[in-house]
């Protein structure tokens, strides 16, 4: 990123002098951590579902009741991903834009709980399938909303760390699911899996209650209600824990308003046709979808979902032992995510993705080579232990690199007025890939056996090379200045130059007046965009 010239920095780079620090972090930063941690309950569901269905599809009572054999296992595993795709492409972005980030948490959770109820009370295979599709729509809605919300309320210095909470909450959900799997081992019949599924209602109710306690995104407010800029300023002041008159709040609000006003002045409030045909937008969609897909096409979804089966295939036939191995994987993955959460803003997105992909390539080579040397017909305990260690490395590489960076990247590369659609389309890429992998893995493994690992070596090598040569670094870049990373005009700087803005107060006066004058025109353009 090119440095901001001093004359521009005077307008857009003011920092507050009133910050107080606790344990090395400002009170504003601690508040951001708090509201984003509360919102992160949203992605707990996805992790819990992934973890608990690892156990449920291997549960004898569940298999017998619904005749879960062959392709049916793949259908159950993948239907939540189908729901995710439907939610991302047709539901989530529309509701996020219409009702806001806070209330989307409530709406998405209610949809999710309907799906959970259908699964927990299922008496036929079709109820399981429909329940998982509906639950997938709910998790897509609250998951993508979470990433966008966290990116929009955080500062550039901690944005990667905060958006990593998406992956962190996912890993917490996975770990709790594995522990629940151990806890229900002594339950008989269908009580075990029905109880495990029903437990998702607890965080669901908690999230609905908590959604009313967190502030609305000021960036969403300035886009959705430009005729009331004072409301966005009030929420920004609340998020930053500073008075509205504070120069840092005023400077940041100017950036939000200036970026939007420049876009409106230059007729860049895209219609659907422009959105789908403009190269600059498709370039970002390509990066978002590819980064999201990169983690899933690595094979991590299949390893997690069929984890118990994989462990049993390596010779660990005891169900309890396999579950314990999954719990260990959950703990290690959580620790890996914590490492990334603490450091991704220091070492950047690109290096994190490259290291994660490189570790996956190395791990799959070791697993594949050992599988060649010691097939199941010649089971070797030592080789199996080494394979499990590298399965853990793969899971840690995903949890500590590809998983969190996918959310970080997709949530920060799109301009505010397109962020909902951009994040949702990006995640659709992830879910389409997951849908394919979950369906294909059992078939592929049964046809080519352990040679499937060599296929994953090639896939991950290609992904690592793509990131190394093509991916731009976005760490530390304010959201309103992300355009320059993708070769577009920096709207804040362009607005300040075009209007010859000499101070923040002067710039605010121009942008606020412009927003009120252009409000009616903006509403017409939103209608043409389909919202």
């Amino acid at each position: 990123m090119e440095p901001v010239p001093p004359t521009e920095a005077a307008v857009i780079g003011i920092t507050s002098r009133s910050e107080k620090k606790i344990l090395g972090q400002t009170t504003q930063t601690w508040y951001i951590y708090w509201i984003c941690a509360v919102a992160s309950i949203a992605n707990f569901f996805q992790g819990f579902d992934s973890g608990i269905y690892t156990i449920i599809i291997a549960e004898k009572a569940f298999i017998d009741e619904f005749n879960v054999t062959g392709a049916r296992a793949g259908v159950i595993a993948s239907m939540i991903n189908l729901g995710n795709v439907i939610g991302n492409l047709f539901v989530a972005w529309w509701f996020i834009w219409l009702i806001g980030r806070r209330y989307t948490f409530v709406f998405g959770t209610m949809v999710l709980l309907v799906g959970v109820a259908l699964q927990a009370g299922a008496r036929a295979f079709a109820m399981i399938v429909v329940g998982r599709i509906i639950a997938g729509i709910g998790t897509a809605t609250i998951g993508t909303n979470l990433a966008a919300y966290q990116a929009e309320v955080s500062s550039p210095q901690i944005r990667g760390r905060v958006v990593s909470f998406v992956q962190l909450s996912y890993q917490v959900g996975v770990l709790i699911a594995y522990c629940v799997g151990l806890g229900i081992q002594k339950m008989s019949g269908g009580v075990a899996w029905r109880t495990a599924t029903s437990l998702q209602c607890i965080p669901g109710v908690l999230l609905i209650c908590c959604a009313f306690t967190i502030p609305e995104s000021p960036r969403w407010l300035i886009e959705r209600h430009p005729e009331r800029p004072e409301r966005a300023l009030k929420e920004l002041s609340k998020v930053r824990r500073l008075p509205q008159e504070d120069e840092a709040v005023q400077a940041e609000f100017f950036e939000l308003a200036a970026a939007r006003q420049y876009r409106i002045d230059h007729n860049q409030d895209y219609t659907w046709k422009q959105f789908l045909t403009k190269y600059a937008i498709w370039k970002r969609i390509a990066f978002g979808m590819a980064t999201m897909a990169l983690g899933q096409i690595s094979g991590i979804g299949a390893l997690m979902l069929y984890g118990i089966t994989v462990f049993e295939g390596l010779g660990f036939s005891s169900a309890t032992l396999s579950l314990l191995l999954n719990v260990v994987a959950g703990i290690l993955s959580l620790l890996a995510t914590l490492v990334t959460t603490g450091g991704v803003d220091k070492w950047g997105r690109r290096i994190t993705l490259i290291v994660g992909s490189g570790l996956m390539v190395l791990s799959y080579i070791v697993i594949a080579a050992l599988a060649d040397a010691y097939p199941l017909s010649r089971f070797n305990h030592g080789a199996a232990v080494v394979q499990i260690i590298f399965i853990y490395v793969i899971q840690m590489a995903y949890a500590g690199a590809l998983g969190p960076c996918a959310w970080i990247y997709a949530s920060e590369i799109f301009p505010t007025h397109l962020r909902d659609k951009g994040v949702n389309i990006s995640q659709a890429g992830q879910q389409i890939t997951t849908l394919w992998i979950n369906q294909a893995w059992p078939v592929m493994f049964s046809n080519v056996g352990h040679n499937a690992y060599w296929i994953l070596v090639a896939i991950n090598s290609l992904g690592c090379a793509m990131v190394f040569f093509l991916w731009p670094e976005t760490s530390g870049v304010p959201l309103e200045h992300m355009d320059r990373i993708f070769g577009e005009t920096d709207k804040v700087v362009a607005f300040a130059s075009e209007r010859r803005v000499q101070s923040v107060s002067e710039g605010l006066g121009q942008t606020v007046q412009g927003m009120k004058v252009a409000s009616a025109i903006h509403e017409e353009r939103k209608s043409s965009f389909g919202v």
Side-chain angles (χ1 to χ4, degrees):
M1 182 187 75
E2 298 179 1
V4 178
T7 53
E8 295 167 1
V11 176
I12 63 176
I14 296 175
T15 24
S16 172
R17 297 186 180 92
S18 58
E19 296 178 344
K20 298 179 181 179
K21 291 190 175 181
I22 301 172
L23 299 177
Q25 300 289 328
T26 64
T27 54
Q28 296 95 315
T29 299
W30 280 115
Y31 181 65
I32 296 298
Y33 290 161
W34 166 250
I35 62 175
C36 289
V38 168
S40 291
I41 299 171
N43 213 41
F44 173 91
F45 300 105
Q46 193 85 5
F48 187 88
D49 181 87
S50 295
I52 207 63
Y53 265 85
T54 297
I55 297 157
I56 288 175
I57 63 172
E59 179 74 29
K60 187 177 184 303
F62 182 79
I63 293 171
D64 291 343
E65 184 169 353
F66 297 106
N67 189 28
V68 182
T69 56
R72 279 199 168 197
V75 169
I76 290 175
S78 59
M79 282 304 99
I80 195 164
N81 303 121
L82 176 60
N84 290 155
V85 173
I86 294 170
N88 282 319
L89 294 181
F90 305 110
V91 179
W93 64 267
W94 194 85
F95 273 96
I96 293 170
W97 177 256
L98 182 67
I99 65 178
R101 308 228 178 268
R102 288 198 306 165
Y103 295 118
T104 297
F105 285 130
V106 177
F107 166 77
T109 304
M110 292 173 68
V111 172
L112 169 65
L113 293 179
V114 170
V116 169
L118 282 171
Q119 292 174 75
R123 298 299 175 191
F125 182 74
M127 288 182 69
I128 293 287
V129 172
V130 173
R132 288 187 64 70
I133 292 173
I134 293 174
I137 294 172
T139 55
T141 302
I142 59 179
T144 53
N145 185 53
L146 170 63
Y149 177 80
Q150 291 176 330
E152 290 179 355
V153 300
S154 59
S155 64
Q157 293 76 22
I158 63 168
R159 188 173 62 234
R161 185 181 310 169
V162 167
V163 180
S164 292
F165 287 3
V166 177
Q167 186 66 31
L168 192 63
S169 57
Y170 176 90
Q171 295 303 149
V172 170
V174 170
L175 180 58
I176 291 176
Y178 288 160
C179 293
V180 168
L182 278 174
I184 63 174
Q185 282 298 291
K186 294 185 178 179
M187 292 184 179
S188 59
V191 175
W193 69 266
R194 292 182 192 277
T195 300
T197 303
S198 301
L199 288 176
Q200 292 181 80
C201 294
I202 298 174
V205 173
L206 184 61
L207 178 58
I208 289 174
C209 295
C210 289
F212 293 99
T213 69
I214 59 177
E216 184 54 86
S217 164
R219 286 176 168 85
W220 175 82
L221 283 170
I222 209 165
E223 290 292 342
R224 189 71 176 90
H225 299 288
E227 75 285 356
R228 296 177 60 190
E230 67 281 354
R231 185 179 171 192
L233 178 60
K234 181 180 178 181
E235 288 299 290
L236 180 62
S237 171
K238 184 188 298 184
V239 168
R240 296 292 175 252
R241 307 291 285 179
L242 293 168
Q244 295 181 27
E245 299 77 19
D246 187 274
E247 59 183 359
V249 173
Q250 291 280 307
E252 186 174 358
F253 184 68
F254 167 71
E255 293 196 0
L256 271 63
R260 181 196 173 278
Q261 192 59 44
Y262 183 87
R263 190 185 79 243
I264 298 299
D265 290 345
H266 292 266
N267 194 27
Q268 294 181 0
D269 205 19
Y270 305 119
T271 63
W272 267 114
K273 181 179 179 181
Q274 291 172 313
F275 178 79
L276 295 174
T277 58
K278 190 174 176 62
Y279 170 74
I281 299 302
W282 268 108
K283 183 179 179 180
R284 301 195 200 200
I285 289 174
F287 277 114
M289 292 186 74
T291 309
M292 283 281 191
L294 188 64
Q296 297 306 314
I297 207 169
S298 69
I300 185 65
L303 280 179
M304 289 184 65
L305 196 58
Y306 300 101
I308 291 177
T309 306
V310 171
F311 289 141
E312 289 178 349
L314 290 174
F316 295 89
S317 56
S318 166
T320 303
L321 178 58
S322 296
L323 283 170
L324 280 170
L325 291 171
N326 262 348
V327 171
V328 173
I331 293 172
L332 292 174
S333 295
L334 180 59
L335 291 174
T337 309
L338 285 169
V339 171
T340 299
T341 300
V344 70
D345 287 310
K346 296 178 183 178
W347 55 65
R349 287 43 158 163
R350 285 185 72 254
I351 190 65
T352 306
L353 286 168
I354 291 168
V355 170
S357 293
L359 285 172
M360 284 192 166
V361 171
L362 175 64
S363 300
Y364 277 124
I365 288 173
V366 173
I367 292 170
L370 287 173
D372 282 346
Y374 301 101
L376 291 179
S377 59
R378 295 172 50 209
F379 178 73
N380 181 283
H381 187 271
V385 170
V386 172
Q387 285 178 295
I388 287 176
I389 289 172
F390 278 95
I391 286 175
Y392 286 161
V393 173
I394 290 169
Q395 292 176 326
M396 292 173 70
Y398 175 80
L402 278 68
C405 280
W407 286 108
I408 295 168
Y409 216 75
S411 67
E412 65 187 5
I413 63 176
F414 293 98
T416 298
H417 68 298
L418 300 178
R419 184 164 294 114
D420 305 328
K421 300 168 187 64
V423 175
N424 278 279
I425 292 173
S426 296
Q427 204 205 8
Q430 179 193 58
Q431 298 304 338
I432 290 169
T433 307
T434 307
L435 184 65
W436 169 63
I437 286 287
N438 288 350
Q439 280 286 95
W441 180 264
V443 177
M444 182 172 69
F445 210 83
S446 64
N447 288 335
V448 301
H450 61 265
N451 287 321
Y453 293 122
W454 288 114
I455 297 174
L456 293 174
V457 169
I459 290 173
N460 284 276
S461 298
L462 178 61
C464 187
M466 287 173 59
V467 173
F468 183 82
F469 289 108
L470 301 175
W471 262 235
E473 181 57 69
T474 56
S475 178
V477 182
L479 295 178
E480 280 67 43
H481 298 276
M482 199 64 68
D483 290 338
R484 68 172 61 193
I485 300 297
F486 293 91
E488 297 182 75
T489 302
D490 186 319
K491 294 180 177 61
V492 177
V493 174
F495 179 88
S497 176
E498 188 178 84
R499 302 292 184 94
R500 298 183 179 181
V501 174
Q502 299 298 317
S503 66
V504 170
S505 58
E506 179 187 344
L508 278 175
Q510 293 188 31
T511 53
V512 169
Q513 181 64 25
M515 280 191 291
K516 290 183 176 181
V517 170
S519 180
I521 299 174
H522 183 64
E523 288 299 320
E524 291 178 6
R525 288 174 179 165
K526 285 193 298 182
S527 298
S528 68
F529 197 71
V531 293

